[in-house]
Amino acid sequence: MKRNAKTKAGKPAKLERNVIIADASEADIEAVREIYAHHVLNGLASFEEEAPSLGEMRARRAQVAQQGLPYLVAKLDGRVVGYAHAAPYRARSAYRFSIENSVYVRDGMAGFGIGGALLDRLIARCEKGKWRQMVAIIGDSGNEGSIALHRSRGFCKVGTLRAVGFKQGRWVDSVLMQRELGAGSASLPRSTESEEGKVS
């Protein structure tokens, strides 16, 4: 099946070849930047309006790694076709068990299951850590693909911030979605986890 093949419903068919999900390397970040830059300059998923430099993207990956959080890439035939990572939801210490996810797929590759494969692996990796809540902040309430992707992975819509962004000449909403990781709020963190990251 070719990558551009369509189903009878007119929707993209899933790729038959296996997409490889792996930890991002330093060498992958140039491709990651290319993917993200397209979304920054042409879409509403990100509220950035200028594409970050390669150095800035490398610094962001390093910051994610310092937090012990995953930064993943999806590769098809050796080419990076998407990436995903988790980052702290907020900087203040009481938020230390909550994280935010980001998932981006190369232009023209949406609908092939790449975003789902990335998000599945990201959730599984984060559930092995101390984190209990994962939040998705989705740019544009009309971003049906991302909303549907997150809903299919157990995220619930918890609210919409109306017209909080202004990009490409119009007001843009932020959609907030959330899912529990592991035990979620059903149990308290271990005492060592509870003290970790607190500001004295």
Side-chain angles (χ1 to χ4, degrees):
M1 182 181 294
K2 295 180 180 180
R3 294 183 192 178
N4 293 329
K6 302 285 184 178
T7 65
K8 291 181 180 180
K11 295 180 180 179
K14 295 238 178 154
L15 290 170
E16 289 184 348
R17 304 181 201 181
N18 290 330
V19 173
I20 297 173
I21 308 297
D23 289 312
S25 70
E26 189 76 5
D28 294 325
I29 303 305
E30 187 168 357
V32 166
R33 180 191 177 277
E34 180 182 306
I35 291 168
Y36 183 58
H38 172 82
H39 290 281
V40 168
L41 298 175
N42 298 284
L44 300 172
S46 170
F47 276 23
E48 288 195 82
E49 296 183 278
E50 295 184 7
S53 67
L54 181 58
E56 172 62 22
M57 293 297 288
R58 285 174 172 161
R60 293 181 187 184
R61 172 180 168 267
Q63 189 173 31
V64 167
Q66 288 171 4
Q67 299 283 343
L69 288 161
Y71 199 119
L72 308 173
V73 291
K75 291 186 177 182
L76 181 65
D77 299 332
R79 182 188 186 210
V80 176
V81 292
Y83 74 98
H85 65 79
Y89 172 59
R90 292 287 186 271
R92 293 183 178 176
S93 60
Y95 288 112
R96 63 192 175 279
F97 297 106
S98 298
I99 52 179
E100 178 183 343
N101 77 69
S102 293
V103 181
Y104 288 94
V105 174
R106 184 175 290 279
D107 180 43
M109 300 298 291
F112 293 108
I114 297 167
L118 281 163
L119 187 52
D120 287 342
R121 183 69 61 85
L122 189 71
I123 291 168
R125 288 278 296 273
C126 291
E127 285 192 316
K128 294 179 180 179
K130 67 178 184 180
W131 304 285
R132 298 296 187 90
Q133 302 291 331
M134 181 176 281
V135 177
I137 302 176
I138 299 169
D140 186 17
S141 56
N143 191 344
E144 296 177 359
S146 184
I147 293 169
L149 169 64
H150 284 85
R151 185 179 292 118
S152 72
R153 267 61 184 183
F155 286 77
C156 295
K157 185 177 176 181
V158 294
T160 301
L161 301 176
R162 301 290 182 188
V164 292
F166 187 80
K167 186 176 181 182
Q168 297 181 359
R170 71 177 181 89
W171 296 108
V172 187
D173 300 338
S174 278
V175 177
L176 307 181
M177 301 186 76
Q178 179 181 353
R179 66 156 284 163
E180 293 193 329
L181 297 172
S185 60
S187 66
L188 297 176
R190 296 191 300 270
S191 58
T192 53
E193 291 178 333
S194 185
E195 291 301 314
E196 183 182 348
K198 285 182 68 174
V199 177
S200 59

